[in-house]
Amino acid sequence: MSSQTPLVALSPELQILLKEHNKGLLNGIINANLQTRFAQEFDGLREFRDAIGQLKGRSAHEAWECYRDRVPLTNYGAYGPFISRFLEEPCKEEDVKDLLSPGLPFYLAKSSGTSGKAAKLFPRYHRVAASSQQPGTAKACHILSMTYIRVIDVLQNEGKSTKVLLSNAISGIARMEHGFGVDSDPETVKLTLPNATSPIAVGHIRNYRSALLVHALFALAEERLAFFHATFSTNFLDFIRFMEEEWPTLLNSIENGTIPAFEGMNHVREYLEPKLLPNPSRAQKLREIGESRTDPGWFIRIWPELKQVACIVTGLFSGTLPKIRHYLGPDVLINSGVIGASEGQTAISRGSTDLNLFKVTAQDFVEYLDVTKDPSAANLVPAWELEAGRRYEVILTTRDGLWRYRLEDIIEVAGFDPDDGFPLLRYIERLNPELRLGAGVSISETQIIEGILAGEKCLGKVKEFTVVIDERTFPRRFGYFVELQDAPKPNAYPALHEVRDELRRINDNVDVCLRCKKIGEPTIRILEPGTFSEYRQWRAGIARAFGQIKVPVFVTDEATKEWLEERVMQELLCPAED
């Protein structure tokens, strides 16, 4: 992490370096992927194919100019018909080899699809990923998964086949980083990676709660633990919650060297039992530390050498930060992970004091679309022409075969790294993720978040939330399902007015339609403690993997709405309505 102040503008020297790097990176991607099925068959690349074919011995600058003027913006609709070949029965190698990038993918990444939208699939091709292991000998707890959704048998000649995993991006990245194909599972399941507290077998537990508890068991057994790594901050808080709930059980297991009988882990018990040796002194020390969590820094008493926790704490997850900080105390660093998706990774955390500051990585070619301009290739801005303070949509051309793909993430340029000129970004929101209420009213993700945060003064600190269209009475209205950090404040009903007034202030259509009663005032239903932990457990069971399960800002499917309604503890009502 760099402590240097970001540059507001690039110096001429850094601009040249950044331009040369990006053009070289793009030329390498073009050379690698130009002969793939997609690049040769997708009609949108026809003009580019014809033009670049005329450039013999082309330079990186010539490739950039050809690409700049002839490659259109794309979205998933361009790739879906190609990627769907992996789901055909039988799946033949001749149909899917060299599809988006050379060879066969290591895995297919399935997007989370948690808002009710259909999940997307993205082939991810084998390469050595940046290691998530911390340097040196310090112990780390990586709260990750090795599970997958299913195995696709890709048939070759003479009856042979190659296996391609269909999984979420998190477990796929973890497997690819270490070269753990499904064929190697019988051997790798016996191992523990260097410096890791959890044996690999823990990653094969599909039950969300059980997997986190066994990660906690091995972490508690290691006094010298220095690092935690989870995907989302909500996963880390679930880890803490479950550890609190099973504290006596976990300590007894450490004392006796036994693995508890948590649900859904019998298939890995034989691999875990040899890894946990009896440690009565450690168990006794943990009992002396106790379960008192009212004072900040409980984790430092458990792990005196703890230095850093890495997980996504920006955007929708920012409400979890106070709770995490309470457990860690003031001195443990929090690293906010990455800006990334199933399609690819855009940037990595740069600072520990400014958690929403990320540095663009050197993996893929990134361009930027000014959010105030029409979405066309002609309006794209390369990295070396960015302006600090402006907002852009991220556009990716990747080694995995995406060409000017609209990632639909909105960022703000915070400046440039003084060392190499790479752009520094702040994550803002998804592009136009609107919940439409009807009557000409829609509301954005950012506005939804700002609305509920305005009610915290009367309501109490919001831990997590989601929003639905509340149709219980006419007219329809925006309905918040909220889980709080603590009990609701006494007489919390004024939060309804605070949320309503904030939504009216930031959304003119909400204001107009409330005045003429085309829509109803927003509702707030408070959920039982632990509801969203249970939600991730529930969704993980459906998806058969938990690596990237998160609570969506908007919920539109009826099954999830009904599930949440069953867990309402209290609904806020104005006194006249009691």
Side-chain angles (χ1 to χ4, degrees):
M1 298 182 191
S2 175
S3 59
Q4 290 182 281
T5 302
L7 298 174
V8 176
L10 289 168
S11 66
E13 295 79 12
L14 285 177
Q15 187 177 51
I16 291 172
L17 286 175
L18 186 61
K19 188 183 299 186
E20 290 178 348
H21 166 81
N22 275 272
K23 289 180 179 179
L25 175 63
L26 175 64
N27 195 35
I29 293 173
I30 292 172
N31 289 338
N33 292 339
L34 186 59
Q35 300 305 317
T36 60
R37 301 285 187 87
F38 180 83
Q40 290 299 310
E41 297 175 19
F42 178 53
D43 191 60
L45 291 176
R46 178 180 299 176
E47 184 181 349
F48 172 70
R49 290 194 300 267
D50 293 343
I52 204 162
Q54 304 300 315
L55 299 175
K56 305 301 181 182
R58 62 182 178 270
S59 67
H61 178 71
E62 289 174 322
W64 153 247
E65 288 188 324
C66 186
Y67 164 96
R68 179 192 61 197
D69 298 332
R70 295 174 176 85
V71 175
L73 295 177
T74 65
N75 56 30
Y76 190 73
Y79 304 90
F82 290 84
I83 298 171
S84 65
R85 299 175 191 178
F86 280 101
L87 304 181
E88 295 175 357
E89 296 288 351
C91 176
K92 299 180 181 179
E93 183 182 58
E94 61 193 49
D95 296 328
V96 295
K97 187 176 181 181
D98 304 330
L99 193 66
L100 268 65
S101 195
L104 290 173
F106 186 85
Y107 69 100
L108 294 182
K110 184 178 181 181
S111 65
S112 58
T114 49
S115 63
K117 297 179 181 179
K120 302 171 185 177
L121 302 180
F122 297 94
R124 302 298 299 271
Y125 293 81
H126 195 286
R127 61 181 58 88
V128 178
S131 176
S132 62
Q133 299 290 328
Q134 298 292 337
T137 59
K139 292 289 186 176
C141 176
H142 299 278
I143 306 174
L144 299 175
S145 172
M146 293 283 180
T147 61
Y148 51 86
I149 299 167
R150 71 182 181 95
V151 176
I152 298 172
D153 283 309
V154 180
L155 299 182
Q156 302 169 305
N157 296 328
E158 302 175 354
K160 298 180 180 180
S161 68
T162 297
K163 292 178 170 57
V164 175
L165 293 179
L166 174 58
S167 73
N168 64 51
I170 304 303
S171 57
I173 290 170
R175 282 179 167 273
M176 187 163 63
E177 178 182 334
H178 301 290
F180 290 164
V182 67
D183 287 333
S184 67
D185 281 353
E187 294 303 316
T188 59
V189 74
K190 304 173 185 177
L191 305 177
T192 302
L193 292 171
N195 304 335
T197 56
S198 298
I200 291 173
V202 182
H204 289 268
I205 301 173
R206 295 188 180 276
N207 184 283
Y208 180 67
R209 186 175 189 272
S210 298
L212 292 183
L213 280 169
V214 182
H215 277 302
L217 172 63
F218 282 93
L220 286 170
E222 176 54 65
E223 183 175 14
R224 301 195 65 183
L225 185 143
F227 300 96
F228 274 104
H229 175 252
T231 306
F232 303 117
S233 58
T234 48
N235 300 136
F236 187 57
L237 284 179
D238 288 346
F239 169 93
I240 298 171
R241 177 184 177 85
F242 298 153
M243 185 176 75
E244 291 173 336
E245 292 174 348
E246 298 287 350
W247 183 257
T249 300
L250 295 172
L251 267 55
N252 287 338
S253 293
I254 292 170
E255 180 177 36
N256 301 318
T258 57
I259 303 297
F262 296 133
E263 182 180 352
M265 52 174 291
N266 286 338
H267 64 298
V268 296
R269 178 176 293 277
E270 64 178 298
Y271 308 112
L272 295 173
E273 287 176 338
K275 304 287 188 178
L276 187 69
L277 301 178
N279 194 339
S281 62
R282 175 62 175 162
Q284 180 57 33
K285 188 168 186 177
L286 291 171
R287 290 191 180 100
E288 293 171 358
I289 292 170
E291 300 178 66
S292 176
R293 299 172 292 276
T294 56
D295 297 328
W298 185 47
F299 269 35
I300 287 297
R301 296 197 294 275
I302 297 173
W303 296 288
E305 297 182 21
L306 183 61
K307 294 181 175 63
Q308 180 175 291
V309 171
C311 56
I312 295 174
V313 293
T314 53
L316 178 61
F317 303 97
S318 59
T320 63
L321 194 55
K323 193 74 170 179
I324 291 175
R325 179 54 70 195
H326 172 82
Y327 283 104
L328 300 182
D331 298 325
V332 177
L333 298 178
I334 298 176
N335 179 307
S336 48
V338 303
I339 299 176
S342 300
E343 297 91 326
Q345 180 177 296
T346 304
I348 59 174
S349 177
R350 182 181 186 265
S352 58
T353 54
D354 187 345
L355 294 176
N356 192 16
L357 185 64
F358 300 85
K359 180 178 177 178
V360 173
T361 64
Q363 297 182 5
D364 296 315
F365 184 73
V366 186
E367 295 172 281
Y368 306 84
L369 176 64
D370 191 319
V371 295
T372 65
K373 297 185 177 180
D374 293 333
S376 69
N379 288 326
L380 292 183
V381 177
W384 57 90
E385 295 180 4
L386 290 172
E387 296 181 44
R390 296 191 72 89
R391 293 187 177 185
Y392 302 85
E393 179 187 347
V394 175
I395 310 296
L396 290 181
T397 295
T398 72
R399 297 174 299 170
D400 289 308
L402 301 180
W403 296 76
R404 279 188 163 168
Y405 184 87
R406 296 188 67 179
L407 195 58
E408 298 187 339
D409 278 340
I410 303 301
I411 56 85
E412 181 177 282
V413 176
F416 304 89
D417 192 292
D419 294 329
D420 53 24
F422 275 44
L424 301 176
L425 314 176
R426 300 190 194 283
Y427 181 80
I428 303 300
E429 62 181 341
R430 294 285 290 165
L431 174 68
N432 297 325
E434 294 182 331
L435 184 64
R436 300 183 182 276
L437 191 57
V441 176
S442 62
I443 196 161
S444 73
E445 177 180 299
T446 298
Q447 290 170 343
I448 283 289
I449 295 172
E450 290 176 358
I452 194 61
L453 293 181
E456 284 189 327
K457 181 178 179 181
C458 299
L459 180 62
K461 190 66 180 177
V462 173
K463 182 179 179 184
E464 295 184 72
F465 74 92
T466 193
V467 172
V468 300
I469 296 174
D470 190 342
E471 301 179 278
R472 293 174 297 163
T473 59
F474 183 83
R476 303 195 305 172
R477 59 198 70 208
F478 298 117
Y480 284 91
F481 287 102
V482 177
E483 183 178 340
L484 299 175
Q485 299 277 19
D486 302 299
K489 291 185 177 182
N491 302 317
Y493 74 87
L496 290 167
H497 305 314
E498 299 292 340
V499 171
R500 175 201 63 196
D501 293 345
E502 180 66 8
L503 295 181
R504 294 176 70 169
R505 186 185 70 80
I506 60 181
N507 189 308
D508 290 340
N509 286 332
V510 169
D511 183 39
V512 171
C513 290
L514 274 172
R515 289 179 186 279
C516 61
K517 300 189 183 303
K518 288 185 178 180
I519 64 173
E521 298 196 0
T523 59
I524 299 176
R525 284 175 276 182
I526 301 173
L527 299 169
E528 298 170 352
T531 291
F532 286 119
S533 293
E534 294 178 21
Y535 169 84
R536 283 182 282 276
Q537 168 87 338
W538 175 54
R539 295 300 304 181
I542 295 172
R544 301 186 66 191
F546 71 78
Q548 60 194 65
I549 299 297
K550 56 187 176 183
V551 179
V553 177
F554 309 140
V555 165
T556 56
D557 67 288
E558 290 301 320
T560 301
K561 288 169 67 174
E562 292 174 5
W563 189 92
L564 291 168
E565 287 169 352
E566 293 172 357
R567 289 157 177 80
V568 173
M569 178 178 71
Q570 174 187 347
E571 179 165 5
L572 296 190
L573 299 171
C574 293
E577 298 176 74
D578 286 337

